[in-house]
Amino acid sequence: MLQISSLFRLLYLEINVFGSTIMFVLILKLILNSRIKGQMYFRKLLTWHIVLFLSDAFSQLMMNRNREYTDSLEVFFKSIYFIAIVVITCEVFLYFESCRDSAVIRNPGKIGLAFLPVFLFIVLIILNLFLKIMFYIDANGIYRRGRAYLLIYAICFAYVIVSMIRSYLDAFRRDNFAVRGIYIFYGTYPLIPLAAAFVQFFVPEIPVL
């Protein structure tokens, strides 16, 4: 059983490192090609994916180690992991807004408003270190979800659903008829990460990929 657990952890690490490598390569390609629409938001999106993959891998490595040293590190990496998830969904929202050249992107105040849930979530993560409301490591060294864990999903789903709705609304405006297909794609694509998040909620052992 121990051998299976070790092999699973190694595979988990390899998947996350592979994902980080792919994101890094894509970032380099973006730097070399400045003509891609919404490049700044897409590059930040990829960067936060690297943070997500690496924090996920390190938190997995901390499990079942010498608890005197690793419980705090596991909580730290899990905190970074969840912050990365929320930031990624915010950047997805902003990326699709930039692709549609919406009024949100042209208004710094609205961009700040879009990041407000991220800032509030970071405050909750800091409070979680003391109150254990989002997640915690129990007396046996086992990772547990807290009473407010669903807030993570609520914030992420809100970003994605709002992005989908806005894309569909823009798609069916008369003056956007020529680009209707691509706007429908913008509204449909987020269903993929939504489905992945839904699966991972019930089977958290699956790597974020």
Side-chain angles (χ1 to χ4, degrees):
M1 187 70 180
L2 181 61
Q3 185 178 6
I4 294 175
S5 176
S6 299
L7 288 173
F8 175 78
R9 189 169 291 113
L10 179 61
L11 177 62
Y12 200 102
L13 176 63
E14 289 175 346
I15 290 174
N16 280 289
V17 171
F18 176 75
S20 300
T21 304
I22 294 297
M23 296 301 114
F24 182 72
V25 170
L26 288 174
I27 289 172
L28 290 179
K29 288 181 72 67
L30 282 173
I31 292 173
L32 295 174
N33 186 355
S34 60
R35 294 172 296 175
I36 297 176
K37 196 170 185 179
Q39 183 192 131
M40 180 183 72
Y41 294 103
F42 194 54
R43 190 164 62 236
K44 289 194 292 183
L45 178 62
L46 295 176
T47 302
W48 276 101
H49 267 92
I50 293 176
V51 175
L52 177 72
F53 289 135
L54 294 181
S55 59
D56 192 27
F58 281 121
S59 64
Q60 184 67 212
L61 285 174
M62 295 300 106
M63 294 175 65
N64 301 324
R65 302 286 181 173
N66 188 332
R67 291 188 52 213
E68 182 180 356
Y69 304 102
T70 59
D71 276 7
S72 296
L73 284 174
E74 186 177 352
V75 169
F76 170 77
F77 285 120
K78 278 289 184 185
S79 298
I80 299 299
Y81 170 78
F82 287 124
I83 289 172
I85 288 177
V86 172
V87 173
I88 284 170
T89 53
C90 179
E91 293 291 352
V92 166
F93 170 77
L94 291 173
Y95 171 67
F96 285 124
E97 291 294 309
S98 69
C99 287
R100 301 194 325 274
D101 195 27
S102 77
V104 172
I105 296 302
R106 297 192 297 271
N107 188 325
K110 289 183 177 180
I111 293 177
L113 188 62
F115 271 104
L116 183 59
V118 175
F119 297 137
L120 294 176
F121 182 75
I122 291 173
V123 172
L124 285 174
I125 284 292
I126 294 172
L127 290 175
N128 179 71
L129 299 176
F130 308 98
L131 303 178
K132 300 179 180 180
I133 54 176
M134 310 291 283
F135 64 90
Y136 60 95
I137 308 299
D138 68 12
N140 297 315
I142 299 174
Y143 165 78
R144 303 289 185 186
R145 293 171 174 177
R147 299 186 304 276
Y149 180 82
L150 284 176
L151 280 175
I152 302 169
Y153 278 79
I155 295 172
C156 293
F157 275 48
Y159 273 123
V160 176
I161 291 171
V162 168
S163 178
M164 291 171 63
I165 291 173
R166 287 178 58 83
S167 293
Y168 281 127
L169 289 176
D170 278 355
F172 290 98
R173 288 179 179 171
R174 285 185 177 179
D175 52 348
N176 290 332
F177 180 80
V179 291
R180 178 171 294 175
I182 190 66
Y183 281 13
I184 291 175
F185 170 76
Y186 293 156
T188 306
Y189 175 78
L191 288 173
I192 298 173
L194 275 183
F198 185 79
V199 171
Q200 198 171 39
F201 178 79
F202 294 101
V203 192
E205 294 82 12
I206 295 178
V208 73
L209 279 176

